[in-house]
Amino acid sequence: MIEALRELARRLLAEERVRVVIGYGQSSPQGPVHPLFITRAEDAEQLVWNRQCFSNLTAYLTRKDVRALGPAAVVVKGCDERTITVLEKEAQLERERVFVVGMVCEGMGDPGLPKCQVCDRHRPRLADETLGEAVDREVPALERYAALEAFLARPAEQRMAYWQEELARCVKCYACRQVCPLCYCERCIVDKNRPAVIDTSATLKGNFAWHITRAFHLAGRCVACGECARVCPVGIDLTLLNQSLARAAEEAYGFRAGEDPRVEPLVGSWSPQDREDFIR
Amino acid sequence: MARIGVFVCWCGENIARHVDVEAVASGAATLPGVRTALSYKYMCSEPGQALIRRKIAEEGLDAVVVSACSPHMHLRTFRRAAEGAGVNPYRVEMANIREHCSWVHHDRGEATAKAADLVRMAVAKARLDRPLEPICVPVARRVMVVGGGVAGIQAALDVADAGHQVVLLEREPSIGGKMAGLSETFPTLDCSQCILTPRMVEAAQHPNITLHTYSEVEAVEGFVGNFRVTVRKRARYIDVDRCTGCGQCWNSCPSKKNPSEFDYRLGQRTAIYIPFPQAVPARPVIDKDACIKLTKGKCGLCAKRCEAQAVKFDDEDRLVVEEVGAVVVATGYRLYDPRTPAAADGISGYGEYGYGKYADVIDSLQFERLASASGPTAGEIRRPSDGAVPKSIVFVSCVGSRDPAKGLSYCSKVCCMYNAKHAMLYRHKVHDGAAHVFYMDVRAGGKNYDEFVRRAIEQDGARYHRGRVSKITEREGKLIVRGVDTLAGEAITVEADMVVLAAAIRPAEGVERLAQKLGVGYDAFGFLSESHPKLRPVETNAAGVFVCGACQGPKDIPESVAQASAAAAKVLALFSRDELSRDPEIASVNELTCAACFACERSCPYGAVERAELRNGRGEFLKRTARINPGLCMGCGTCVAVCPSKSVDLDGYSETQVYAMLKSLT
Amino acid sequence: MSQNNGFDPKIIAYVCNWCTYLGADLAGTNRLEYPASVRIIRLPCTGRIDFHLIVKAFESGADAVLVSGCHPGDCHYTAGNFHARRRWTLFRALLDVLGIEMDRIHFTWISAAEGRKWQEVVTEITEKTKALGPYRAYRRICEGGA
Amino acid sequence: MEIGYYPGCALHGSSNDYETSVRACLSALDVGLKELDDWLCCGASAAHSLNHKLSVALPARNLALAERDGMAELLAPCPMCSGALLRAKAALHGDARLREEMGEIIELPVAGSAEVLNLVQIFERAGIERIRERAVRTLEDYRPACYYGCLLTRPPQTTRFDDCEQPRSMESLLSALGAEPVDWAFRTECCGAGMTVAREETVLELAHRILSDAAARGANCLVVACPMCHVNLDMKQADVARRFAVNHQMIVYYLSDLVGLALGLSPEALGVDRHFVVR
Amino acid sequence: MEILPTSGKALDAEVERAVAACYQCGKCSAGCPMAEAMDLLPNRLLRLVQLGRIDKAAAAEAPWLCVSCQTCTTRCPQSVDCAAVLDALRQIAVGRGLVPRRQQRTLLFQQAFLESIRRYGRVHEVELIGRFKTRALLGDLNVPLFFKDALLAPRLYRRGKLHLTGETVRDRDLVARIFARCRAEPETT
């Protein structure tokens, strides 16, 4: 599989179909896997593929410096690829200028990350070329949201208490924002003043405001790559927030972010039949 | 620092009874930015307004808060008053301490406290009000009417007679629309063409009307007052200016056996043809698929015969751009096709009626042609299969209409009337013929309408059966119609020589595409949406675009014409001004911080958001950005809510202001 | 109305200019009495009302928030309330997982003709909020401590 | 190809000539039939007339058996049976509560996943082109009136087969084999077979109309894909003759008969000799 | 299609709901092959149900003349499942003893039919006809029929179409259990 990947990268660069290949690299066999940007065919063998390829590389597609390089190829897992659709819908990339290399993925980490336990997209579907053989396992929505279910089983006061405790630890390092492929605003809303929408101090108040905002800005967009939670230095489980929105979208509108390129983004479209059981 | 004056109104006892207005005023006086605060018995009265103007002058106020009734009541009044004294009208705020306070809270303490809060909020907002100028856009006093049927012609003539330029667009080779093909019209039975053709000629010869036939809207840019409409003039293969309409060409054309669109396939026409004798303009077109010259390269007889040398086989589509200030859509209707394959766009057909299978099962427009003196049978009722005069005809109502299972739930409104008319005409022409009408309800609301239907039944002996038809089959040249009369409680079978289906009225082919170009909404069936069903029946939510006739919903001729004149009146009202001035409380984008995700574009109900590029002084590309078209923005603020980086804001309700109001309450 | 006495709930109402604001006006014209607990912030359309406004309301010490606009299909701007409806549906899910007390956030459609409904809604919300007491949990958040 | 097979009571009873025909014809096309093990009667009209729950339970049991034995497709040559199976499918589909309830009633888990096919659909699966290639003789001297009756196409929302008002599938199959189907009026009119035994007199009338129109259109035979239609139009033709004093002598074929004949099978092999009206 | 309760007021409610959309265009009656023989046309039965007079509708002969050809359901502009409504009316009639005498034969036949299934899991034609005819005979309903079909029997037999003994499923108790579980609850009117 690795060889196939390297071969493909070589070809794409050699034939000048792309100017850069965004993949995974590893400084030493034991060393950590890091994003790798290849612009010359001969560097292709530096590419790696293993259970440590956590990051969602599509995040780099919207970076000014990367765009400057020209057409790019990007290595994606089934979970990451949905990002491409969302970005395209939001006019952040022209699909034809990106060559998507899909990697069949049996899960990342050992043991697999929670998201991998319930993954129903081992094999990318939207890629221009997909490497590896495997079949999809249809995971019922319930299973996908099991963790959320469990959390929601607690009474509201306990949930509130939990978040007060968790978010009190947030140091506003914004790693969650940096790593998120869908946080591409040039000026993030937290950096807005006159008026300041969000209290920038790392107080509980500011932290609630920030995390509510971060999560809701991903409503109907988050593809559940789970990077935000993975990179959080103080280990706040942000996926719970993302999941609550993802499930609402799926339940109320049968919508899954990035699933279907033909479907319009959830926020910004509507139907007269939309549910409103909570509105009096 | 702002210099705000607060004016607390007693509204006689209305406010003063439950609110301590003096306390409210003195409280307001202490608020930051407030220069003066006082109360008066009737602020809206002339002395009250004078007081405000005087205070503005004395204190040099630059903003005003009137604490009185609902802004829906008097905001305009006080804006005008303040403007009179030199304060920008958009720096006037109102605190509603009457409808929202004194009238609904009778505990003086609570009411006063709330009133004080409301004033505090209003002051906080006023402090941040920017002076705004109303948006002015020049108006091009020229209208495009899309569709040259009776509605379009009416609208065009009304506007043209008022002295303004009109561009009249028609997709077919001639104007006249469906009405030109009708036989006689209910409830007066006067001849359709006799009414219409003079109007057609009038429109064509009117100095203020430019006619584009055989043409369609290609693209639309701009907004109210300033539309740029690109028109595709389809290749006619005739030089209209040279052509004299002498008829040599179509009389000599050897390709004669082409189904006539105008006769709904009941008649035939040549390849070079005018759709019907009274066509306007009386200039032929060449059907390029039927023309032997254009298909096989041979022939060219018409060109040889044409003394004016008007035939040009090398003709091509042309695009012309028309600049207009308003657009009237009058694209009319088409009939539902009972042959529709199952569930094409949710609409399915009537296999059980065998339309398209049995030659003598026709639709009501085809019957109009049979009954029309200018029709393929010169007005004699003869059936298509063998030309025999039918001794019995079954007229079936509600084919498609009121049939949710087939995908159309609405009533087509005019069929009841023309069914009665058809039955009548038939009985007048074939005295021993039996006319059966199957109906669910007879809907004959309108002047002399019900009388007309009764006449068909009582005097002309049309036999009405209350019930739907279930199946039509054919045996030995007879059509076996199986229906029911629910009043008699019997299933009945009629042996008919001909069956006429009153097929549902649907919006004209392709109207959705036109609507999208114009930014006009349409319903599930493709009928265009008016902006208010009762109060704004011919306006649409696209400013400067109006609708009339059957494109907005099934209508008969009188209604279509009335609506056309209404649309014309609206256009004239628009043209009565040099400039449009609009409320400036609209959205604007901070283009430097915009991330160009275009969430705003997706959620704008008015298509007011454009994708633009930000360039520096030297015109070099910096970034992409959303941009609001002030001509189109109506100021709902939906874009503000969906903008992730809050790079959009709304004047008059800005982020800063709302937050300040909240803060004033803490 | 004096259970939980001493406590006058603070309720922020975001209403659209064309339906609910006029509904409240009508309540006034018909002299329909209701508690003085609500502070209306008039916005052009429910489409303008985003989640920040709800969060901000709580940050500025609201004990409950009311969001109200035109009934579906009646929007002055044709679709603003449809857009809003979707966002609220999603936002509620987020608030729920955060353990925000859902019966402090109310959504209603109130038309210009529904003065009576405005009166009922405000009265009920006030009673409910009184019963719940001040929104201490969020105060705690704003005071930054646990 | 091999496919699940649900004969139903009629084909194992007085309409066994139909089964003979179907089996012979399909084996000639190398379509193997795997009969559903220990199948139950579908309940026919009696069940849905008298006991709605039963009218779902009985077919549900058969669907469950098919699922258990891993049959993805189930041929039910009797439209009454296929209709019952399809109705049950529709009811079970997207109604977890009902699936559960039925599972308990019939003592087998049931999802209703098996696809139910009628005879025409099997031929379409086998491929009209392929059948034409295999054909050893043309049907040119046959001018059949194709009779769909009611349940083959109705109600369309459950049968999802052909156009329920102007069906063409039998005609296109047979004309591909050289036959000249006539166009006639009663292709989807009901023959009232459901009532043959209980209310014979009203039913003969319907049968008579159908036979007369077919004859009037110059048909020299009828073609059906339904055992009840066959009983009603073939066996009862004598009674029609007696009652209306007109002997139509209209041969009534099963669709598989004509296909079989085209494939070179003998009338005997197809059970045609066991019909009541014969050449 | 959703499963109706088998009896009781619950069924009434279901049936009323099922016909709520009917606007009396009569297309069901117009297409019904049995219309001529019916005392009340289908659209009238539906109307009675709409008016809450279910018992009168159920007591009519028409439901027993329905051949379940689905034409009404297929062509209904309002997508009312007319045929299913008639089924329900039959069940109500049986549950409340409203089956008109002249239609007892149809009922008897269908009961005999179900009986046969309950016993063997499949239909035994000879026994079925036999049981039906004898019942009909005892009930002295249209006796001549008996002999008529008796005449047919040999014709069938000669063609090897008549099995004096029919097929039986392996697990007959299962069938009985299924029937028991589907038995209509007693009327709660």
Side-chain angles (χ1 to χ4, degrees), chain B residues 77-415:
Chain B
T77 317
F78 293 116
R79 276 183 171 172
R80 239 183 279 111
E83 193 172 18
V87 169
N88 181 289
Y90 298 97
R91 299 209 58 192
V92 175
E93 294 294 337
M94 285 188 76
N96 183 348
I97 63 169
R98 189 179 73 172
E99 284 84 347
H100 290 188
C101 191
S102 68
W103 276 351
V104 288
H105 311 312
H106 296 170
D107 172 322
R108 195 169 173 83
E110 288 182 352
T112 307
K114 179 172 177 179
D117 272 357
L118 297 181
V119 171
R120 210 173 291 122
M121 292 161 81
V123 169
K125 185 166 185 246
R127 213 180 286 128
L128 297 160
D129 272 328
R130 295 200 306 119
L132 302 173
E133 294 310 320
I135 301 166
C136 294
V137 283
V139 181
R141 288 210 189 78
R142 198 157 178 269
V143 64
M144 172 172 288
V145 178
V146 185
V150 66
I153 290 172
Q154 179 79 12
L157 285 171
D158 283 4
V159 177
D161 290 342
H164 297 294
Q165 290 294 317
V166 179
V167 181
L168 179 54
L169 207 67
E170 170 56 53
R171 177 159 60 181
E172 299 302 319
S174 165
I175 58 172
K178 296 277 185 300
M179 183 175 172
L182 302 186
S183 54
E184 290 166 6
T185 57
F186 62 78
T188 48
L189 289 191
D190 42 0
C191 148
S192 179
Q193 291 186 330
C194 313
I195 312 171
L196 186 66
T197 40
R199 300 287 281 169
M200 291 159 65
V201 175
E202 199 182 339
Q205 292 172 349
H206 201 294
N208 289 345
I209 297 181
T210 313
L211 200 56
H212 292 303
T213 52
Y214 217 45
S215 306
E216 292 182 70
V217 171
E218 181 81 3
V220 181
E221 297 161 62
F223 50 86
V224 57
N226 308 271
F227 293 104
R228 288 185 90 252
V229 185
T230 312
V231 174
R232 171 176 294 276
K233 293 185 70 96
R234 286 164 57 205
R236 198 175 185 120
Y237 303 99
I238 296 295
D239 183 329
V240 183
D241 307 326
R242 288 180 162 204
C243 173
T244 60
C246 67
Q248 284 292 340
C249 51
W250 64 80
N251 290 326
S252 62
C253 178
S255 164
K256 298 191 183 317
K257 297 233 169 304
N258 310 296
S260 150
E261 296 80 1
F262 188 72
D263 288 334
Y264 304 104
R265 303 180 308 278
L266 293 181
Q268 294 174 332
R269 58 157 175 79
T270 47
I272 183 169
Y273 68 102
I274 54 170
F276 54 103
Q278 310 89 325
V280 171
R283 301 283 178 270
V285 310
I286 295 181
D287 171 349
K288 65 178 191 317
D289 305 319
C291 170
I292 304 166
K293 175 74 174 178
L294 289 170
T295 50
K296 302 194 182 57
K298 295 192 266 337
C299 186
L301 253 174
C302 49
K304 295 190 194 77
R305 291 290 169 77
C306 181
E307 281 149 19
Q309 299 176 341
V311 182
K312 26 176 208 178
F313 292 110
D314 58 355
D315 197 10
E316 283 175 345
D317 289 11
R318 278 184 304 127
L319 296 181
V320 296
V321 173
E322 297 284 3
E323 310 241 340
V324 295
V327 177
V328 174
V329 184
T331 47
Y333 69 96
R334 72 181 133 155
L335 284 194
Y336 157 80
D337 182 346
R339 290 168 301 185
T340 316
D345 61 30
I347 299 173
S348 55
Y350 273 81
E352 61 265 47
Y353 288 178
Y355 177 83
K357 183 178 198 295
Y358 309 128
D360 296 328
V361 179
I362 64 175
D363 69 32
S364 32
L365 278 177
Q366 290 174 311
F367 186 83
E368 290 285 347
R369 293 311 295 149
L370 290 183
S372 165
S374 73
T377 58
E380 288 184 27
I381 307 296
R382 298 186 169 280
R383 62 185 208 170
S385 60
D386 56 6
V389 174
K391 289 300 174 200
S392 72
I393 300 183
V394 170
F395 298 91
V396 185
S397 310
C398 301
V399 178
S401 312
R402 301 178 67 191
D403 194 338
K406 306 282 192 197
L408 302 173
S409 56
Y410 56 88
C411 165
S412 291
K413 199 171 182 194
V414 300
C415 327

Side-chain angles (χ1 to χ4, degrees), chain B residues 350-354 357-358 406 470-476 482, chain D residues 163-166 168 183-189 209 213 216-217:
Chain B
Y350 273 81
E352 61 265 47
Y353 288 178
K357 183 178 198 295
Y358 309 128
K406 306 282 192 197
S470 176
K471 177 102 178 176
I472 298 171
T473 54
E474 181 265 335
R475 196 195 316 133
E476 292 143 14
R482 291 187 42 201
Chain D
D163 175 337
C164 67
E165 297 296 351
Q166 305 289 351
R168 300 293 315 151
D183 185 14
W184 62 309
F186 284 73
R187 291 145 76 234
T188 62
E189 297 303 305
R209 280 189 216 155
D213 190 64
R217 309 286 177 142

Side-chain angles (χ1 to χ4, degrees), chain A residues 4 30 85 96-97 106 117 122 124 127 143 184 205 209 223 240-241 257 266:
Chain A
Q30 287 67 34
T85 317
E96 59 281 3
R97 286 185 85 255
E106 292 299 351
Q117 309 302 335
H122 298 288
E143 206 172 311
Y184 49 70
K205 178 183 173 205
V223 299
L240 277 177
L241 303 182
L266 187 60

Side-chain angles (χ1 to χ4, degrees), chain D residues 128-199:
Chain D
I128 295 184
E129 227 358 84
R130 234 177 96 254
I131 299 175
R132 192 222 302 269
E133 288 159 10
R134 300 267 189 117
V136 298
R137 54 164 289 199
T138 104
L139 299 175
E140 62 201 354
D141 41 6
Y142 290 84
R143 291 193 311 285
C146 297
Y147 180 64
Y148 295 79
C150 0
L151 297 178
L152 205 55
T153 59
R154 282 198 296 263
Q157 41 279 54
T158 39
T159 61
R160 297 237 162 74
F161 167 67
D162 209 336
D163 175 337
C164 67
E165 297 296 351
Q166 305 289 351
R168 300 293 315 151
S169 46
M170 285 206 226
E171 280 86 351
S172 32
L173 170 59
L174 291 178
S175 39
L177 298 174
E180 289 163 12
V182 302
D183 185 14
W184 62 309
F186 284 73
R187 291 145 76 234
T188 62
E189 297 303 305
C190 175
C191 70
M195 292 275 171
T196 25
V197 189
R199 293 195 55 88

Side-chain angles (χ1 to χ4, degrees), chain D residues 12 37 105 107 198 200, chain E residues 105 148 167 170 177 181:
Chain D
H12 278 201
D37 176 53
I105 292 179
E107 298 178 20
E200 194 178 35
Chain E
R105 291 158 42 220
K148 202 122 143 289
E167 299 176 340
R170 283 199 299 277
R177 287 200 296 279
R181 295 189 185 110

Side-chain angles (χ1 to χ4, degrees), chain A residues 7-25:
Chain A
E7 184 40 50
L8 176 59
R10 253 182 238 107
R11 214 176 69 231
L12 290 169
L13 287 165
E15 295 171 1
E16 296 192 336
R17 291 181 56 186
V18 302
R19 292 285 173 193
V20 55
V21 174
I22 311 172
Y24 301 95

